[in-house]
């Protein structure tokens, strides 16, 4: 107990006892009592009060399973066009008109600069120029210096503007007829390959030699019967590019020379399950699948499902229009903008 507290208590006790020697009025006595009561309370208070922390009981909540989507990597593998596209009928007529116009504006063909007079080549030239009336070999019958030289245009769809007709005219002109003392001989001319292949004729959807003017995409048939691009789950901390390279080998074999274009996906597809699926090992509640597609190019080889590890049943090389007929409408709406028109 402090010394100041003892003095205050002793003085207050003396104030409370009536004494004949201690005469004081009532108001002063009340003031003295209040003042020394305040001093006593300040003396008894602790200089460092101990904070009181309320006890908060722990809150117990039910543990819910972690929800997440499965991340998959997909590959949009394409074979680019090998041949130029087919021309529109208007384009064919326009290009033929350009060649006929050039024939009108060019200088006359000097025959003796190329052929010696009265040689077999000169005789063959005179015979052919009599048929087509012009030095050009692929513009049809046209005389650029005659009375109707101005009439160098053709209607859209005329047979002279067709590439097949022009190729046949060039091949016919290349066959040189030589008349010696024996029978007439014609030089053998190698014909170009047709634009329509055997795979187009037979309807072989697995062949890469079909539709040479279009882009083809590799689609596979999964174990559940649906068609789509090759796709699979990522393993560990695998990137999308590494996962795409691994999936191509596992799905279509090692007999393909492919190239993954870039490190970023070109699109994605979300598949939400009707009911969440809980994995037994990780206890994660899977809401669905998210597939991110990587763009890839076919450089050579062919796909083979002989030893595939994804359970694939079949594959096809399809164009954009053919792909639309094979896949689910929801899947098509996710991938259609990743595919080129041609």
């Amino acid at each position: 107990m402090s010394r100041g507290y003892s003095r205050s208590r002793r003085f207050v006790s003396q104030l409370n006892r009536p004494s004949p020697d201690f005469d004081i009025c009532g108001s002063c006595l009340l003031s003295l009592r209040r003042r020394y009561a305040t001093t006593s309370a300040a003396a008894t208070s602790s200089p460092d009060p101990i904070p009181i922390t309320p006890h908060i009981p722990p809150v117990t909540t039910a543990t819910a399973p972690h929800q997440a989507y499965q991340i998959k990597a997909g590959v949009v593998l394409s074979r680019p066009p090998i041949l130029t596209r087919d021309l529109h009928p208007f384009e064919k007529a326009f290009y033929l008109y350009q060649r006929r116009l050039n024939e009108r504006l060019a200088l006359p063909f000097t025959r003796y600069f190329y052929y010696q007079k009265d040689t077999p080549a000169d005789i063959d030239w005179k015979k052919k120029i009599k048929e087509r009336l012009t030095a050009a070999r692929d513009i049809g019958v046209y005389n650029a210096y005659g009375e109707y030289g101005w009439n160098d245009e053709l209607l859209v769809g005329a047979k002279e503007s067709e590439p097949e007709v022009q190729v046949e005219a060039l091949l016919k002109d290349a066959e040189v007829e030589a008349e010696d003392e024996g029978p007439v001989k014609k030089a053998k001319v190698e014909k170009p390959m047709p634009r329509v292949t055997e795979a187009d004729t037979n309807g072989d959807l697995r062949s890469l030699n079909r539709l040479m003017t279009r882009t083809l995409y590799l689609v596979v048939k999964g174990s559940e019967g649906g068609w789509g691009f090759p796709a699979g789950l990522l393993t560990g901390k695998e990137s999308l590019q590494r996962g795409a390279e691994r999936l191509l080998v596992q799905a279509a074999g090692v007999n393909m020379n492919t190239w993954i274009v870039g490190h970023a996906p070109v699109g994605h597809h979300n598949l939400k399950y009707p009911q969440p699926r809980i994995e037994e090992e990780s206890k994660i509640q899977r809401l669905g699948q998210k597939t991110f597609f990587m763009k890839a190019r076919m450089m050579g080889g062919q796909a083979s499902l002989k030893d595939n590890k994804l359970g694939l049943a079949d594959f096809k090389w399809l164009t954009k229009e053919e792909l639309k007929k094979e896949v689910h409408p929801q899947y098509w709406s996710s991938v259609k903008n990743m595919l080129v028109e041609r």
Side-chain angles (χ1 to χ4, degrees):
M1 183 178 296
S2 63
R3 184 177 300 176
Y5 175 74
S6 301
R7 290 180 180 177
S8 300
R9 187 174 181 181
R10 188 165 53 250
F11 183 76
V12 171
S13 61
Q14 292 176 358
L15 291 176
N16 292 331
R17 290 198 304 265
S19 174
D21 299 332
F22 193 76
D23 189 11
I24 189 171
C25 66
S27 61
C28 293
L29 181 61
L30 182 61
S31 299
L32 289 173
R33 287 178 180 177
R34 290 178 179 175
R35 182 184 304 174
Y36 286 102
T38 306
T39 306
S40 175
T44 56
S45 62
S46 176
D48 297 322
I50 300 175
I52 300 175
T53 58
H55 175 68
I56 301 176
V59 180
T60 59
T61 58
T63 58
H66 178 65
Q67 296 181 346
Y69 281 83
Q70 287 182 320
I71 304 301
K72 301 177 69 176
V75 187
V76 182
L77 180 62
S78 63
R79 187 223 66 185
I82 299 176
L83 301 178
T84 57
R85 65 175 178 85
D86 297 329
L87 297 178
H88 188 271
F90 177 80
E91 294 176 316
K92 298 175 184 178
F94 176 77
Y95 290 145
L96 182 61
Y97 162 71
Q98 289 288 329
R99 290 198 294 272
R100 285 191 172 185
L101 180 61
N102 180 72
E103 188 68 16
R104 286 178 58 191
L105 300 178
L107 294 174
F109 180 77
T110 54
R111 183 182 64 184
Y112 294 118
F113 182 80
Y114 296 94
Y115 306 108
Q116 189 176 357
K117 189 176 181 179
D118 297 332
T119 58
D122 180 56
I123 297 173
D124 181 73
W125 163 260
K126 289 189 290 185
K127 180 180 179 180
K128 293 176 180 178
I129 198 70
K130 190 180 296 185
E131 295 177 359
R132 61 176 183 252
L133 303 178
T134 179
R137 301 169 294 174
D138 57 348
I139 62 174
V141 180
Y142 173 69
N143 186 3
Y145 307 103
E147 182 180 358
Y148 298 98
W150 57 270
N151 190 16
D152 52 4
E153 297 183 14
L154 288 177
L155 296 177
V156 175
K159 67 175 185 177
E160 291 87 355
S161 61
E162 294 295 329
E164 293 79 8
V165 176
Q166 297 171 9
V167 169
E168 290 296 329
L170 293 173
L171 292 174
K172 183 180 179 180
D173 183 81
E175 296 176 351
V176 180
E177 298 181 358
E179 296 184 1
D180 293 334
E181 296 179 357
V184 177
K185 298 181 181 180
K186 292 185 178 181
K188 186 178 180 180
V189 180
E190 185 177 356
K191 295 183 179 181
M193 298 294 292
R195 294 173 67 91
V196 179
T197 63
E198 184 179 355
D200 292 322
T201 306
N202 299 333
D204 186 5
L205 300 180
R206 288 188 171 189
S207 176
L208 283 168
N209 295 327
R210 60 183 295 265
L211 297 178
M212 310 292 277
T213 61
R214 298 294 305 278
T215 299
L216 299 181
Y217 298 95
L218 176 65
V219 292
V220 294
K221 185 178 182 180
S223 57
E224 299 179 357
W227 289 89
F229 296 119
L233 294 173
L234 297 176
T235 58
K237 296 183 179 180
E238 190 177 37
S239 65
L240 289 174
Q241 187 191 39
R242 294 296 183 184
E245 293 176 350
R246 174 181 56 82
L247 287 169
L248 273 181
V249 175
Q250 293 179 352
V254 297
N255 295 326
M256 289 195 306
N257 183 13
T258 59
W259 170 45
I260 304 297
V261 183
H263 295 266
V266 294
H268 72 283
H269 171 63
N270 292 342
L271 175 63
K272 191 173 183 179
Y273 297 145
Q275 294 294 334
R277 305 174 184 178
I278 300 178
E279 297 181 354
E280 297 181 358
E281 297 181 358
S282 60
K283 303 301 181 181
I284 298 177
Q285 189 177 20
R286 297 297 182 182
L287 302 178
Q289 297 178 354
K290 290 187 177 182
T291 306
F292 295 88
F293 296 100
M294 300 294 293
K295 183 179 179 181
R297 283 290 192 180
M298 180 73 173
M299 312 299 292
Q302 175 59 294
S304 175
L305 303 182
K306 183 178 179 180
D307 299 324
N308 79 88
K309 300 179 181 180
L310 303 179
L312 304 178
D314 197 3
F315 76 93
K316 295 179 182 179
W317 290 97
L318 303 179
T319 61
K320 183 177 181 179
E321 294 79 12
E322 295 171 341
L323 180 63
K324 181 181 180 180
K325 302 176 183 178
E326 296 290 344
V327 300
H328 193 272
Q330 182 182 0
Y331 189 88
W332 169 251
S333 63
S334 300
V335 304
K336 63 181 181 180
N337 292 331
M338 301 186 297
L339 312 179
V340 297
E341 295 295 334
R342 181 178 168 264

